[in-house]
Amino acid sequence: MPWRDTPEQWSAVSRAFHWIIALLILAMLVLGFVGDDMARSPAKARVFMWHKSFGMLILTLVLLRLAWRSINQRPVFPRAMPRWQIQAVKAGHIALYLLLLALPFSGWVMNSAADFPVRLFGWVRLPAIVAPDHELKEIAEVVHKVLVWGLITLVSGHALLAIKHEWIDHDGVLRRMLGFPSR
Amino acid sequence: MRRGAAWILAAVLLLAGVSAASAAQHWRVLPKSSELAFFASYDRIEFKGVFHRFDSDLWFSADDLAHSHFRVKVDVASVDTRSVDRDEVLSEADWFDFKRFPSAYFTATHIEAAEDQGFTAKADLKIRDKQHPLAFPFTFVVRGDQAHLKAHMQAKVPLNRLDYDIGSGEWADDDLVGFRVRVVVDLHLQAVE
């Protein structure tokens, strides 16, 4: 099995990036919603420590993934896909990447502006990227929460469309990301 | 000098000396150049807070320590750690509990000279409903001429927040907020006539 992407197949590296990031996104959503609901307490601080830790991990992985994609040719779209659909899918993926970068950044700004020191995974301190600023923290918080709904919408659409392609179109795009040969 | 005049001169000098020594100099804090701060730690990372509002009654003369004393009343709700979230937590019942205990009280008496031109006092600190004695070493440097006397007072006081029930209940361990807190006093003073 080739370790670079080919026109027919996603490499193990690409697939690992995809599914690890997908799982982390799910974990993040749970941590974020549960944590937001908690009253201020050491437990809440711990929940958000994990949320912020996974968030910065996702940011790192997404940047690495983008670098990996830039030096690889991605597998071809199914022959039966009309051109408008391909354009839409590309736009959707770009939007996903943008959200996956904007979300951790807005979270990072929010954390820095709130002057809330945090040690990622209880170990290395996340440096502040802005000075303490309450208004900026409130703005970043709104941005972060709105973008989360954008992500939920896009990820749901992404997953549903992948299932549709597999079970209705039978064009193998999902199988390909799962590592099975596409035809 | 005639003997009568000498006695009168001695009496005048004695009275002047006595009246000068019967009360220490009264000082007022210059708020813009003074700071009542503390350093605490969250997740082993230090953060700074200040109390913006405090009333002080300071009497100090290096040559009249017997009549020197300090009394400070701190408005705890004026705490500012540059983080609204943090300040809101500090107002809660498990922390300073602004509603029930709006003030903290500090008094210092029995001031003595200490080494390195510093001083030390016996102090009492009351936060919430907990009062504890503590040693209070400080420096007090006077400058300026007789008409415009100024002073700079500095002190560093280590405290254990648990002694004053600051951060109790689920916050009573030092997993997140350390027990040790350092109070740093930096006051610029002006003599009061």
Side-chain angles (χ1 to χ4, degrees), chain B residues 18-84:
Chain B
V18 164
S19 60
S22 65
Q25 176 65 54
H26 194 197
W27 300 91
R28 73 178 185 87
V29 172
L30 297 169
K32 287 204 183 71
S33 49
S34 300
E35 188 176 75
L36 176 57
F38 63 90
F39 292 87
S41 70
Y42 181 90
D43 204 8
R44 290 168 291 138
I45 298 166
E46 194 173 76
F47 68 91
K48 179 182 176 183
V50 298
F51 289 97
H52 287 301
R53 287 189 302 275
F54 52 95
D55 297 323
S56 48
D57 195 25
L58 310 174
W59 297 84
F60 184 87
S61 289
D63 51 11
D64 188 6
L65 295 180
H67 292 103
S68 298
H69 57 265
F70 305 138
R71 255 197 303 266
V72 181
K73 179 174 154 179
V74 181
D75 177 357
V76 292
S78 71
V79 73
D80 178 5
T81 64
R82 285 196 326 177
S83 161
V84 171

Side-chain angles (χ1 to χ4, degrees), chain A residues 118-141:
Chain A
V118 64
R119 289 185 186 277
L120 302 175
F121 299 106
W123 176 51
V124 62
R125 182 174 170 190
L126 177 66
I129 48 171
V130 292
D133 181 335
H134 184 61
E135 268 100 47
L136 179 57
K137 180 245 170 187
E138 305 260 89
I139 293 169
E141 187 172 349

Side-chain angles (χ1 to χ4, degrees), chain A:
Chain A
M1 179 197 301
W3 63 275
R4 300 282 298 258
D5 294 339
T6 71
E8 294 80 38
Q9 285 181 281
W10 290 107
S11 61
V13 174
S14 294
R15 285 182 284 114
F17 270 126
H18 178 271
W19 293 110
I20 289 172
I21 292 173
L23 279 170
L24 283 173
I25 290 172
L26 278 174
M28 288 292 284
L29 288 170
V30 170
L31 286 168
F33 280 103
V34 165
D36 202 33
D37 224 19
M38 292 169 78
R40 264 192 292 248
S41 65
K44 176 173 179 158
R46 241 166 264 134
V47 167
F48 274 110
M49 185 277 285
W50 286 106
H51 180 85
K52 292 165 189 176
S53 301
F54 284 137
M56 298 315 287
L57 179 58
I58 289 176
L59 176 62
T60 310
L61 289 175
V62 168
L63 289 171
L64 288 172
R65 171 125 188 254
L66 285 170
W68 176 251
R69 272 202 64 162
S70 70
I71 58 167
N72 274 273
Q73 48 171 344
R74 55 151 293 147
V76 297
F77 286 98
R79 262 189 300 252
M81 260 180 97
R83 203 164 164 271
W84 69 265
Q85 226 182 78
I86 293 177
Q87 303 290 58
V89 158
K90 282 184 180 173
H93 290 158
I94 289 172
L96 262 175
Y97 277 115
L98 285 175
L99 279 174
L100 288 175
L101 293 171
L103 271 163
F105 263 114
S106 57
W108 196 353
V109 168
M110 183 167 51
N111 179 251
S112 303
D115 198 21
F116 216 97
V118 64
R119 289 185 186 277
L120 302 175
F121 299 106
W123 176 51
V124 62
R125 182 174 170 190
L126 177 66
I129 48 171
V130 292
D133 181 335
H134 184 61
E135 268 100 47
L136 179 57
K137 180 245 170 187
E138 305 260 89
I139 293 169
E141 187 172 349
V142 168
V143 168
H144 192 78
K145 289 180 172 171
V146 166
L147 289 180
V148 165
W149 287 105
L151 181 70
I152 291 172
T153 309
L154 265 180
V155 165
S156 308
H158 175 80
L160 287 169
L161 285 171
I163 292 170
K164 171 240 182 212
H165 274 272
E166 188 62 34
W167 287 345
I168 296 175
D169 301 328
H170 303 290
D171 57 18
V173 290
L174 179 51
R175 296 167 62 82
R176 207 162 61 179
M177 189 48 92
L178 285 166
F180 300 105
S182 52
R183 237 168 292 289

